[in-house]
Amino acid sequence: MNLRLYPLSLVLILLLRPTMSSNQHDYSDALSKSILFFEGQRSGYLPNDQRMTWRRNSGLSDGWTHNTDLTGGYYDAGDNVKFNFPMAFTTTMLAWSVIEFGELMPPSELRNSLVALRWGSNYLLKSVSQLPNRIFVQVGDPIADHNCWERPEDMDTPRTAYAVNAPNPASEVAGEITAAFSAASIAFRSSDPGYSQTLLQNAVKTFQFADTYRGAYSSNEDIKNDVCPFYCDFNGFQDELLWGAAWLRKATGDESYLNYIESNREPFGASDNVDEFGWDNKVGGLNILVSKEVIEGNMYNLEAYKASAESFMCSLVPESPGTHVEYTPAGLLYKPGGSQLQHATTISFLLLVYAQYLSRSSLSLSCGTLTVPPDYLRRLAKKQVDYILGDNPMGLSYMVGYGERYPKRIHHRGSSLPSIVDHPGAIGCKDGSVYFNSTEPNPNVLIGAVVGGPGEDDKYDDDRSDFRMSEPTTYINAPFVGVLAYFAANPSFS
C-alpha cells in the first residue's frame, strides 16, 4: 500500500496499530475443521460418509406428534433441541459464506460447505411443508432437555414439535427462514439449479406467511414458555422481515422486494445505527447486504442503508470519530453477555464482505475526516481470527482440535459422554451427571467447534459447567467458514 495516498491521520493509524503476533496460522486447516464441526451437530439419519464417527443416528421420531417428518437439521449448541430460529440464521450464514467466498475455497471444502448447507436447508424445507397455514419453529422440549445430560442418541425427553398456525404470527422465524432459503438458492444456483428453484419457491411462500401474520412467535401463549428465554428475539421481528425481503431481492431481482426494503426501513425501526449482528439482530448485516446495491448497482434510493453500514464499520475503527464498539484489553470484540466469539465471527465476516464490496469499486470507507482503505478492515478481521486461533493472553486456540492447546472440557452433551462405540448401553437422563461433573477432558473431540470464548478480561476457564464460555454453537461457526476461506486463500495477508 502506498501510504502517501492517504491522510496523515490514517498513516499514523496504520503505523501505530497493535503489532500482530508472529504466529503463522494454518487457515486452511482451520477452514476444514470449521466445516467438519457441523457433522458433530447433525440430527437424524447420518450418511455413510459421516466423518465425525463417534456420532450416530438421533431424533428419528421428530415430528411424529404432528404426523409429519421433522427429522434432520442441527442441534444448535451443546444440547439436543432443534431451535429453528438460530438454525435458520446458521443456514443463512453458511450460504452467505459460499456466495462471497466459495470461489476461494478448495473444491473439496466448497463441496463440504454445500453439504453442510444442504443439511440445514433440507430440514428447514420440512419445517415449512405445511404452509400457507402452519410453520414449525422448534423440536424438543428445552426445559426437559436442559434438565438432562444425555447423548442425542439416547434422548428420552419429549420431542415436542412446536407449530405456529395462522393467523398466529412467527415473523422472526419465518423471516429468517426466508433469508436462509433465498441465500441458499443463490449458493446452489450453479451446482443444482433444480434444488435452487425449490428453495426460492419456498422462500417466497415463507415470506408471505411472515409478512401476512406480523408478530413474534414468542407472543403465542401456547409455546412462549418453551421458546423463551432460550431464543426469543428481544429486538423485535421487523428486522427479520427486512432481512428476508433483502435476500429475496438479491435472489430474484424483483422490484417489489426493493420497494419493500426501501419503504419499510423507518416504519420498522431499522433506521437507527446498530453495531451488532447475530441470530437475534439482523440490522448490522442487513445494512451491509443492501449497501452492495448502492456501491455496485448505483441504487441511491437505498443510500440510507449504506450510510448505516458505514457508521457500523467506522465504529469498529478505534481511531475514527464518534462512538465505538468495545474491545477487550487484548483486542477481542466485546459485547456484554456470554458467548463473546459469536460477535467476533459475525462482525469479522461483515468486515471482509464490506471490504470486498469497496475493493471491487475502488472505494474506501469514510469515517468523518478519516479515509479507511479496505485492507484496514481486513486487518481488523484478521486480528479477531488470529485471537480466536491462539494469539491471545491465554495462548489458547478457541477452536477445538486446532493447535496444540484448545478447550478440552466443552459444554456439549455428545462430546462429554462416552460414544455409542465405547459405551453401547444407554446413558439415562441423570446418569450423565457424573460425566458433566467430571474434571476429565471430553472423550469425544468435537473438531472445529468454536466455543463461547473468554470474558471481558481475556480470561477463560476450561470448565464444562460454564456454558457462556465453553459451549459451542452453530451460529458462531457458520460465518467463520467464510472468514477462514478468505484468509486460507490469502495466507500472506498482514
PDB file of all heavy atoms in Angstrom, residues 233-263:
ATOM      1  N   ASP A 233     -36.604 -13.303  20.318  1.00  0.00           N
ATOM      2  CA  ASP A 233     -35.965 -12.166  19.656  1.00  0.00           C
ATOM      3  C   ASP A 233     -36.403 -10.898  20.371  1.00  0.00           C
ATOM      4  O   ASP A 233     -37.455 -10.343  20.099  1.00  0.00           O
ATOM      5  CB  ASP A 233     -36.371 -12.118  18.184  1.00  0.00           C
ATOM      6  CG  ASP A 233     -35.573 -11.086  17.408  1.00  0.00           C
ATOM      7  OD1 ASP A 233     -34.892 -10.265  18.052  1.00  0.00           O
ATOM      8  OD2 ASP A 233     -35.623 -11.103  16.174  1.00  0.00           O
ATOM      9  N   PHE A 234     -35.569 -10.446  21.296  1.00  0.00           N
ATOM     10  CA  PHE A 234     -35.922  -9.276  22.091  1.00  0.00           C
ATOM     11  C   PHE A 234     -35.736  -7.978  21.316  1.00  0.00           C
ATOM     12  O   PHE A 234     -36.042  -6.905  21.827  1.00  0.00           O
ATOM     13  CB  PHE A 234     -35.099  -9.266  23.380  1.00  0.00           C
ATOM     14  CG  PHE A 234     -35.381 -10.450  24.269  1.00  0.00           C
ATOM     15  CD1 PHE A 234     -34.463 -11.476  24.403  1.00  0.00           C
ATOM     16  CD2 PHE A 234     -36.586 -10.544  24.938  1.00  0.00           C
ATOM     17  CE1 PHE A 234     -34.736 -12.569  25.213  1.00  0.00           C
ATOM     18  CE2 PHE A 234     -36.871 -11.633  25.752  1.00  0.00           C
ATOM     19  CZ  PHE A 234     -35.935 -12.648  25.889  1.00  0.00           C
ATOM     20  N   ASN A 235     -35.228  -8.064  20.098  1.00  0.00           N
ATOM     21  CA  ASN A 235     -35.059  -6.871  19.264  1.00  0.00           C
ATOM     22  C   ASN A 235     -36.228  -6.670  18.313  1.00  0.00           C
ATOM     23  O   ASN A 235     -36.175  -5.795  17.453  1.00  0.00           O
ATOM     24  CB  ASN A 235     -33.749  -6.977  18.465  1.00  0.00           C
ATOM     25  CG  ASN A 235     -32.536  -6.892  19.365  1.00  0.00           C
ATOM     26  OD1 ASN A 235     -32.290  -5.874  19.996  1.00  0.00           O
ATOM     27  ND2 ASN A 235     -31.786  -7.982  19.451  1.00  0.00           N
ATOM     28  N   GLY A 236     -37.265  -7.488  18.444  1.00  0.00           N
ATOM     29  CA  GLY A 236     -38.408  -7.346  17.562  1.00  0.00           C
ATOM     30  C   GLY A 236     -38.272  -8.186  16.312  1.00  0.00           C
ATOM     31  O   GLY A 236     -37.196  -8.694  15.985  1.00  0.00           O
ATOM     32  N   PHE A 237     -39.363  -8.331  15.578  1.00  0.00           N
ATOM     33  CA  PHE A 237     -39.406  -9.181  14.397  1.00  0.00           C
ATOM     34  C   PHE A 237     -39.205  -8.413  13.097  1.00  0.00           C
ATOM     35  O   PHE A 237     -39.008  -9.011  12.039  1.00  0.00           O
ATOM     36  CB  PHE A 237     -40.757  -9.903  14.340  1.00  0.00           C
ATOM     37  CG  PHE A 237     -41.937  -8.967  14.252  1.00  0.00           C
ATOM     38  CD1 PHE A 237     -42.381  -8.484  13.024  1.00  0.00           C
ATOM     39  CD2 PHE A 237     -42.599  -8.551  15.396  1.00  0.00           C
ATOM     40  CE1 PHE A 237     -43.458  -7.612  12.936  1.00  0.00           C
ATOM     41  CE2 PHE A 237     -43.682  -7.675  15.327  1.00  0.00           C
ATOM     42  CZ  PHE A 237     -44.109  -7.210  14.087  1.00  0.00           C
ATOM     43  N   GLN A 238     -39.246  -7.086  13.166  1.00  0.00           N
ATOM     44  CA  GLN A 238     -39.238  -6.298  11.933  1.00  0.00           C
ATOM     45  C   GLN A 238     -37.925  -6.420  11.162  1.00  0.00           C
ATOM     46  O   GLN A 238     -37.912  -6.359   9.922  1.00  0.00           O
ATOM     47  CB  GLN A 238     -39.528  -4.828  12.247  1.00  0.00           C
ATOM     48  CG  GLN A 238     -40.939  -4.571  12.747  1.00  0.00           C
ATOM     49  CD  GLN A 238     -41.050  -4.652  14.258  1.00  0.00           C
ATOM     50  OE1 GLN A 238     -40.173  -5.209  14.917  1.00  0.00           O
ATOM     51  NE2 GLN A 238     -42.125  -4.115  14.814  1.00  0.00           N
ATOM     52  N   ASP A 239     -36.812  -6.583  11.887  1.00  0.00           N
ATOM     53  CA  ASP A 239     -35.531  -6.698  11.184  1.00  0.00           C
ATOM     54  C   ASP A 239     -35.470  -7.967  10.357  1.00  0.00           C
ATOM     55  O   ASP A 239     -34.878  -7.988   9.276  1.00  0.00           O
ATOM     56  CB  ASP A 239     -34.351  -6.609  12.157  1.00  0.00           C
ATOM     57  CG  ASP A 239     -34.423  -7.617  13.287  1.00  0.00           C
ATOM     58  OD1 ASP A 239     -35.536  -7.949  13.726  1.00  0.00           O
ATOM     59  OD2 ASP A 239     -33.358  -8.065  13.750  1.00  0.00           O
ATOM     60  N   GLU A 240     -36.129  -9.032  10.837  1.00  0.00           N
ATOM     61  CA  GLU A 240     -36.157 -10.270  10.038  1.00  0.00           C
ATOM     62  C   GLU A 240     -37.016 -10.125   8.786  1.00  0.00           C
ATOM     63  O   GLU A 240     -36.729 -10.754   7.749  1.00  0.00           O
ATOM     64  CB  GLU A 240     -36.659 -11.445  10.883  1.00  0.00           C
ATOM     65  CG  GLU A 240     -35.595 -12.114  11.722  1.00  0.00           C
ATOM     66  CD  GLU A 240     -35.288 -11.361  13.005  1.00  0.00           C
ATOM     67  OE1 GLU A 240     -36.196 -10.652  13.502  1.00  0.00           O
ATOM     68  OE2 GLU A 240     -34.154 -11.472  13.522  1.00  0.00           O
ATOM     69  N   LEU A 241     -38.064  -9.321   8.861  1.00  0.00           N
ATOM     70  CA  LEU A 241     -38.865  -9.074   7.655  1.00  0.00           C
ATOM     71  C   LEU A 241     -38.034  -8.345   6.599  1.00  0.00           C
ATOM     72  O   LEU A 241     -38.040  -8.723   5.415  1.00  0.00           O
ATOM     73  CB  LEU A 241     -40.118  -8.263   7.997  1.00  0.00           C
ATOM     74  CG  LEU A 241     -41.212  -8.985   8.809  1.00  0.00           C
ATOM     75  CD1 LEU A 241     -42.338  -8.026   9.173  1.00  0.00           C
ATOM     76  CD2 LEU A 241     -41.762 -10.174   8.024  1.00  0.00           C
ATOM     77  N   LEU A 242     -37.300  -7.330   7.005  1.00  0.00           N
ATOM     78  CA  LEU A 242     -36.428  -6.611   6.065  1.00  0.00           C
ATOM     79  C   LEU A 242     -35.312  -7.504   5.562  1.00  0.00           C
ATOM     80  O   LEU A 242     -34.960  -7.479   4.377  1.00  0.00           O
ATOM     81  CB  LEU A 242     -35.855  -5.374   6.746  1.00  0.00           C
ATOM     82  CG  LEU A 242     -36.840  -4.238   7.053  1.00  0.00           C
ATOM     83  CD1 LEU A 242     -36.186  -3.197   7.947  1.00  0.00           C
ATOM     84  CD2 LEU A 242     -37.334  -3.602   5.751  1.00  0.00           C
ATOM     85  N   TRP A 243     -34.736  -8.278   6.457  1.00  0.00           N
ATOM     86  CA  TRP A 243     -33.652  -9.209   6.121  1.00  0.00           C
ATOM     87  C   TRP A 243     -34.124 -10.243   5.089  1.00  0.00           C
ATOM     88  O   TRP A 243     -33.442 -10.496   4.090  1.00  0.00           O
ATOM     89  CB  TRP A 243     -33.193  -9.854   7.415  1.00  0.00           C
ATOM     90  CG  TRP A 243     -32.115 -10.881   7.422  1.00  0.00           C
ATOM     91  CD1 TRP A 243     -32.236 -12.179   7.860  1.00  0.00           C
ATOM     92  CD2 TRP A 243     -30.725 -10.719   7.089  1.00  0.00           C
ATOM     93  NE1 TRP A 243     -31.023 -12.820   7.797  1.00  0.00           N
ATOM     94  CE2 TRP A 243     -30.083 -11.952   7.332  1.00  0.00           C
ATOM     95  CE3 TRP A 243     -29.983  -9.649   6.597  1.00  0.00           C
ATOM     96  CZ2 TRP A 243     -28.715 -12.148   7.097  1.00  0.00           C
ATOM     97  CZ3 TRP A 243     -28.622  -9.837   6.373  1.00  0.00           C
ATOM     98  CH2 TRP A 243     -28.016 -11.075   6.611  1.00  0.00           C
ATOM     99  N   GLY A 244     -35.284 -10.825   5.334  1.00  0.00           N
ATOM    100  CA  GLY A 244     -35.825 -11.799   4.388  1.00  0.00           C
ATOM    101  C   GLY A 244     -36.111 -11.167   3.039  1.00  0.00           C
ATOM    102  O   GLY A 244     -35.811 -11.734   1.983  1.00  0.00           O
ATOM    103  N   ALA A 245     -36.701  -9.960   3.060  1.00  0.00           N
ATOM    104  CA  ALA A 245     -37.009  -9.263   1.807  1.00  0.00           C
ATOM    105  C   ALA A 245     -35.738  -8.898   1.049  1.00  0.00           C
ATOM    106  O   ALA A 245     -35.695  -8.973  -0.188  1.00  0.00           O
ATOM    107  CB  ALA A 245     -37.828  -8.008   2.099  1.00  0.00           C
ATOM    108  N   ALA A 246     -34.699  -8.493   1.790  1.00  0.00           N
ATOM    109  CA  ALA A 246     -33.436  -8.127   1.136  1.00  0.00           C
ATOM    110  C   ALA A 246     -32.805  -9.330   0.441  1.00  0.00           C
ATOM    111  O   ALA A 246     -32.261  -9.210  -0.665  1.00  0.00           O
ATOM    112  CB  ALA A 246     -32.473  -7.538   2.163  1.00  0.00           C
ATOM    113  N   TRP A 247     -32.885 -10.481   1.090  1.00  0.00           N
ATOM    114  CA  TRP A 247     -32.330 -11.684   0.455  1.00  0.00           C
ATOM    115  C   TRP A 247     -33.185 -12.134  -0.740  1.00  0.00           C
ATOM    116  O   TRP A 247     -32.657 -12.614  -1.750  1.00  0.00           O
ATOM    117  CB  TRP A 247     -32.179 -12.799   1.480  1.00  0.00           C
ATOM    118  CG  TRP A 247     -30.869 -12.714   2.222  1.00  0.00           C
ATOM    119  CD1 TRP A 247     -30.670 -12.325   3.508  1.00  0.00           C
ATOM    120  CD2 TRP A 247     -29.570 -12.992   1.674  1.00  0.00           C
ATOM    121  NE1 TRP A 247     -29.329 -12.354   3.805  1.00  0.00           N
ATOM    122  CE2 TRP A 247     -28.631 -12.758   2.707  1.00  0.00           C
ATOM    123  CE3 TRP A 247     -29.119 -13.421   0.424  1.00  0.00           C
ATOM    124  CZ2 TRP A 247     -27.259 -12.940   2.522  1.00  0.00           C
ATOM    125  CZ3 TRP A 247     -27.747 -13.600   0.234  1.00  0.00           C
ATOM    126  CH2 TRP A 247     -26.840 -13.357   1.273  1.00  0.00           C
ATOM    127  N   LEU A 248     -34.499 -11.968  -0.621  1.00  0.00           N
ATOM    128  CA  LEU A 248     -35.355 -12.269  -1.778  1.00  0.00           C
ATOM    129  C   LEU A 248     -35.050 -11.328  -2.937  1.00  0.00           C
ATOM    130  O   LEU A 248     -35.039 -11.748  -4.106  1.00  0.00           O
ATOM    131  CB  LEU A 248     -36.830 -12.153  -1.386  1.00  0.00           C
ATOM    132  CG  LEU A 248     -37.487 -13.399  -0.797  1.00  0.00           C
ATOM    133  CD1 LEU A 248     -38.858 -13.060  -0.242  1.00  0.00           C
ATOM    134  CD2 LEU A 248     -37.582 -14.508  -1.843  1.00  0.00           C
ATOM    135  N   ARG A 249     -34.795 -10.085  -2.634  1.00  0.00           N
ATOM    136  CA  ARG A 249     -34.399  -9.125  -3.674  1.00  0.00           C
ATOM    137  C   ARG A 249     -33.111  -9.582  -4.348  1.00  0.00           C
ATOM    138  O   ARG A 249     -32.992  -9.564  -5.583  1.00  0.00           O
ATOM    139  CB  ARG A 249     -34.233  -7.737  -3.044  1.00  0.00           C
ATOM    140  CG  ARG A 249     -33.410  -6.739  -3.843  1.00  0.00           C
ATOM    141  CD  ARG A 249     -34.055  -6.336  -5.144  1.00  0.00           C
ATOM    142  NE  ARG A 249     -33.212  -5.393  -5.861  1.00  0.00           N
ATOM    143  CZ  ARG A 249     -33.469  -4.940  -7.078  1.00  0.00           C
ATOM    144  NH1 ARG A 249     -34.545  -5.348  -7.719  1.00  0.00           N
ATOM    145  NH2 ARG A 249     -32.646  -4.081  -7.663  1.00  0.00           N
ATOM    146  N   LYS A 250     -32.138 -10.024  -3.537  1.00  0.00           N
ATOM    147  CA  LYS A 250     -30.859 -10.465  -4.081  1.00  0.00           C
ATOM    148  C   LYS A 250     -31.021 -11.728  -4.926  1.00  0.00           C
ATOM    149  O   LYS A 250     -30.380 -11.885  -5.959  1.00  0.00           O
ATOM    150  CB  LYS A 250     -29.878 -10.717  -2.936  1.00  0.00           C
ATOM    151  CG  LYS A 250     -28.454 -11.063  -3.384  1.00  0.00           C
ATOM    152  CD  LYS A 250     -27.521 -11.163  -2.198  1.00  0.00           C
ATOM    153  CE  LYS A 250     -26.107 -11.558  -2.617  1.00  0.00           C
ATOM    154  NZ  LYS A 250     -25.427 -10.499  -3.398  1.00  0.00           N
ATOM    155  N   ALA A 251     -31.914 -12.606  -4.503  1.00  0.00           N
ATOM    156  CA  ALA A 251     -32.088 -13.881  -5.202  1.00  0.00           C
ATOM    157  C   ALA A 251     -32.940 -13.761  -6.455  1.00  0.00           C
ATOM    158  O   ALA A 251     -32.755 -14.508  -7.420  1.00  0.00           O
ATOM    159  CB  ALA A 251     -32.710 -14.918  -4.263  1.00  0.00           C
ATOM    160  N   THR A 252     -33.878 -12.813  -6.466  1.00  0.00           N
ATOM    161  CA  THR A 252     -34.833 -12.730  -7.579  1.00  0.00           C
ATOM    162  C   THR A 252     -34.654 -11.491  -8.455  1.00  0.00           C
ATOM    163  O   THR A 252     -35.040 -11.512  -9.623  1.00  0.00           O
ATOM    164  CB  THR A 252     -36.279 -12.707  -7.044  1.00  0.00           C
ATOM    165  OG1 THR A 252     -36.490 -11.497  -6.284  1.00  0.00           O
ATOM    166  CG2 THR A 252     -36.549 -13.919  -6.161  1.00  0.00           C
ATOM    167  N   GLY A 253     -34.129 -10.414  -7.881  1.00  0.00           N
ATOM    168  CA  GLY A 253     -34.072  -9.144  -8.597  1.00  0.00           C
ATOM    169  C   GLY A 253     -35.416  -8.465  -8.703  1.00  0.00           C
ATOM    170  O   GLY A 253     -35.555  -7.458  -9.416  1.00  0.00           O
ATOM    171  N   ASP A 254     -36.409  -8.985  -8.000  1.00  0.00           N
ATOM    172  CA  ASP A 254     -37.780  -8.481  -8.081  1.00  0.00           C
ATOM    173  C   ASP A 254     -37.869  -7.074  -7.469  1.00  0.00           C
ATOM    174  O   ASP A 254     -37.450  -6.846  -6.334  1.00  0.00           O
ATOM    175  CB  ASP A 254     -38.712  -9.441  -7.332  1.00  0.00           C
ATOM    176  CG  ASP A 254     -40.177  -9.177  -7.621  1.00  0.00           C
ATOM    177  OD1 ASP A 254     -40.586  -8.001  -7.603  1.00  0.00           O
ATOM    178  OD2 ASP A 254     -40.919 -10.152  -7.864  1.00  0.00           O
ATOM    179  N   GLU A 255     -38.462  -6.153  -8.211  1.00  0.00           N
ATOM    180  CA  GLU A 255     -38.581  -4.773  -7.762  1.00  0.00           C
ATOM    181  C   GLU A 255     -39.485  -4.637  -6.543  1.00  0.00           C
ATOM    182  O   GLU A 255     -39.327  -3.699  -5.747  1.00  0.00           O
ATOM    183  CB  GLU A 255     -39.126  -3.893  -8.896  1.00  0.00           C
ATOM    184  CG  GLU A 255     -38.170  -3.697 -10.055  1.00  0.00           C
ATOM    185  CD  GLU A 255     -36.965  -2.850  -9.661  1.00  0.00           C
ATOM    186  OE1 GLU A 255     -37.149  -1.817  -8.987  1.00  0.00           O
ATOM    187  OE2 GLU A 255     -35.838  -3.234 -10.024  1.00  0.00           O
ATOM    188  N   SER A 256     -40.415  -5.560  -6.366  1.00  0.00           N
ATOM    189  CA  SER A 256     -41.342  -5.434  -5.224  1.00  0.00           C
ATOM    190  C   SER A 256     -40.591  -5.556  -3.900  1.00  0.00           C
ATOM    191  O   SER A 256     -40.942  -4.888  -2.918  1.00  0.00           O
ATOM    192  CB  SER A 256     -42.445  -6.497  -5.311  1.00  0.00           C
ATOM    193  OG  SER A 256     -41.917  -7.810  -5.172  1.00  0.00           O
ATOM    194  N   TYR A 257     -39.561  -6.387  -3.875  1.00  0.00           N
ATOM    195  CA  TYR A 257     -38.782  -6.526  -2.640  1.00  0.00           C
ATOM    196  C   TYR A 257     -37.880  -5.310  -2.434  1.00  0.00           C
ATOM    197  O   TYR A 257     -37.614  -4.912  -1.297  1.00  0.00           O
ATOM    198  CB  TYR A 257     -37.969  -7.818  -2.666  1.00  0.00           C
ATOM    199  CG  TYR A 257     -38.836  -9.055  -2.779  1.00  0.00           C
ATOM    200  CD1 TYR A 257     -38.745  -9.901  -3.887  1.00  0.00           C
ATOM    201  CD2 TYR A 257     -39.764  -9.354  -1.784  1.00  0.00           C
ATOM    202  CE1 TYR A 257     -39.558 -11.022  -3.994  1.00  0.00           C
ATOM    203  CE2 TYR A 257     -40.589 -10.472  -1.891  1.00  0.00           C
ATOM    204  CZ  TYR A 257     -40.475 -11.299  -2.997  1.00  0.00           C
ATOM    205  OH  TYR A 257     -41.291 -12.399  -3.096  1.00  0.00           O
ATOM    206  N   LEU A 258     -37.440  -4.720  -3.521  1.00  0.00           N
ATOM    207  CA  LEU A 258     -36.679  -3.475  -3.429  1.00  0.00           C
ATOM    208  C   LEU A 258     -37.552  -2.388  -2.811  1.00  0.00           C
ATOM    209  O   LEU A 258     -37.118  -1.661  -1.900  1.00  0.00           O
ATOM    210  CB  LEU A 258     -36.201  -3.051  -4.818  1.00  0.00           C
ATOM    211  CG  LEU A 258     -35.498  -1.690  -4.910  1.00  0.00           C
ATOM    212  CD1 LEU A 258     -34.195  -1.703  -4.131  1.00  0.00           C
ATOM    213  CD2 LEU A 258     -35.249  -1.321  -6.375  1.00  0.00           C
ATOM    214  N   ASN A 259     -38.774  -2.282  -3.289  1.00  0.00           N
ATOM    215  CA  ASN A 259     -39.697  -1.293  -2.741  1.00  0.00           C
ATOM    216  C   ASN A 259     -39.988  -1.561  -1.272  1.00  0.00           C
ATOM    217  O   ASN A 259     -40.125  -0.638  -0.463  1.00  0.00           O
ATOM    218  CB  ASN A 259     -41.004  -1.285  -3.542  1.00  0.00           C
ATOM    219  CG  ASN A 259     -40.805  -0.816  -4.972  1.00  0.00           C
ATOM    220  OD1 ASN A 259     -39.870  -0.072  -5.270  1.00  0.00           O
ATOM    221  ND2 ASN A 259     -41.676  -1.262  -5.869  1.00  0.00           N
ATOM    222  N   TYR A 260     -40.069  -2.824  -0.916  1.00  0.00           N
ATOM    223  CA  TYR A 260     -40.371  -3.224   0.461  1.00  0.00           C
ATOM    224  C   TYR A 260     -39.283  -2.750   1.416  1.00  0.00           C
ATOM    225  O   TYR A 260     -39.574  -2.139   2.452  1.00  0.00           O
ATOM    226  CB  TYR A 260     -40.519  -4.744   0.531  1.00  0.00           C
ATOM    227  CG  TYR A 260     -41.016  -5.281   1.856  1.00  0.00           C
ATOM    228  CD1 TYR A 260     -42.353  -5.587   2.046  1.00  0.00           C
ATOM    229  CD2 TYR A 260     -40.147  -5.504   2.922  1.00  0.00           C
ATOM    230  CE1 TYR A 260     -42.825  -6.090   3.253  1.00  0.00           C
ATOM    231  CE2 TYR A 260     -40.595  -6.001   4.137  1.00  0.00           C
ATOM    232  CZ  TYR A 260     -41.931  -6.293   4.291  1.00  0.00           C
ATOM    233  OH  TYR A 260     -42.396  -6.790   5.496  1.00  0.00           O
ATOM    234  N   ILE A 261     -38.026  -3.032   1.075  1.00  0.00           N
ATOM    235  CA  ILE A 261     -36.943  -2.652   1.991  1.00  0.00           C
ATOM    236  C   ILE A 261     -36.712  -1.140   1.996  1.00  0.00           C
ATOM    237  O   ILE A 261     -36.254  -0.591   2.996  1.00  0.00           O
ATOM    238  CB  ILE A 261     -35.627  -3.403   1.662  1.00  0.00           C
ATOM    239  CG1 ILE A 261     -35.154  -3.127   0.237  1.00  0.00           C
ATOM    240  CG2 ILE A 261     -35.793  -4.889   1.890  1.00  0.00           C
ATOM    241  CD1 ILE A 261     -33.830  -3.799  -0.104  1.00  0.00           C
ATOM    242  N   GLU A 262     -37.067  -0.489   0.886  1.00  0.00           N
ATOM    243  CA  GLU A 262     -36.925   0.969   0.845  1.00  0.00           C
ATOM    244  C   GLU A 262     -38.006   1.655   1.685  1.00  0.00           C
ATOM    245  O   GLU A 262     -37.719   2.563   2.480  1.00  0.00           O
ATOM    246  CB  GLU A 262     -36.997   1.462  -0.594  1.00  0.00           C
ATOM    247  CG  GLU A 262     -36.811   2.976  -0.713  1.00  0.00           C
ATOM    248  CD  GLU A 262     -36.953   3.467  -2.158  1.00  0.00           C
ATOM    249  OE1 GLU A 262     -37.246   2.646  -3.058  1.00  0.00           O
ATOM    250  OE2 GLU A 262     -36.791   4.689  -2.368  1.00  0.00           O
ATOM    251  N   SER A 263     -39.237   1.214   1.546  1.00  0.00           N
ATOM    252  CA  SER A 263     -40.356   1.904   2.193  1.00  0.00           C
ATOM    253  C   SER A 263     -40.533   1.529   3.658  1.00  0.00           C
ATOM    254  O   SER A 263     -41.134   2.294   4.423  1.00  0.00           O
ATOM    255  CB  SER A 263     -41.659   1.615   1.433  1.00  0.00           C
ATOM    256  OG  SER A 263     -41.949   0.223   1.444  1.00  0.00           O
TER     257      SER A 263
END
